[in-house]
Amino acid sequence: MPQFTVFCRDSADPNSTIWISSVTATDSQDAIRVGRDECANDWDYREADAIDYDCGNGDIACIDVLGVVEGSIAVIEWDDSGLEIPESTVSQPWDTAI
């Protein structure tokens, strides 16, 4: 199966760190699912409880996939400490097709 590199962040915190990792998946849509699941596992997030949905409480539904790159890449250096994403660009999980 092909390799993809997936970029994720927590939509509840527009200034959160960016998770970057290579995943094995059948296609880009599968890479989104696999990447989100692996990110949630690394961050100890849990499946969202539809009754008690709280994006600020570590729900997997709060993880936005920012991008998918075909192939495995080696990130040599990354510093997102000064990254500020304007509030208007922050999507809610129910607003995205990802």
Side-chain angles (χ1 to χ4, degrees):
M1 279 200 287
Q3 289 283 316
F4 296 88
T5 301
V6 181
F7 299 76
C8 296
R9 75 171 172 87
D10 185 337
S11 64
D13 180 1
N15 298 314
S16 67
T17 190
I18 308 295
W19 178 93
I20 306 169
S21 188
S22 293
V23 301
T24 302
T26 56
D27 57 26
S28 62
Q29 289 302 306
D30 189 38
I32 290 169
R33 183 191 58 75
V34 172
R36 181 180 281 128
D37 288 347
E38 288 187 15
C39 176
N41 185 57
D42 287 350
W43 287 349
D44 293 325
Y45 279 28
R46 61 180 174 15
E47 286 294 327
D49 180 349
I51 295 169
D52 186 26
Y53 179 76
D54 181 7
C55 212
N57 199 23
D59 285 344
I60 191 173
C62 301
I63 296 173
D64 282 342
V65 175
L66 300 175
V68 176
V69 176
E70 188 172 8
S72 179
I73 63 170
V75 176
I76 304 302
E77 185 175 334
W78 183 274
D79 179 7
D80 61 6
S81 61
L83 179 67
E84 291 188 29
I85 300 173
E87 195 65 35
S88 62
T89 65
V90 176
S91 63
Q92 297 299 322
W94 51 86
D95 290 339
T96 63
I98 298 175

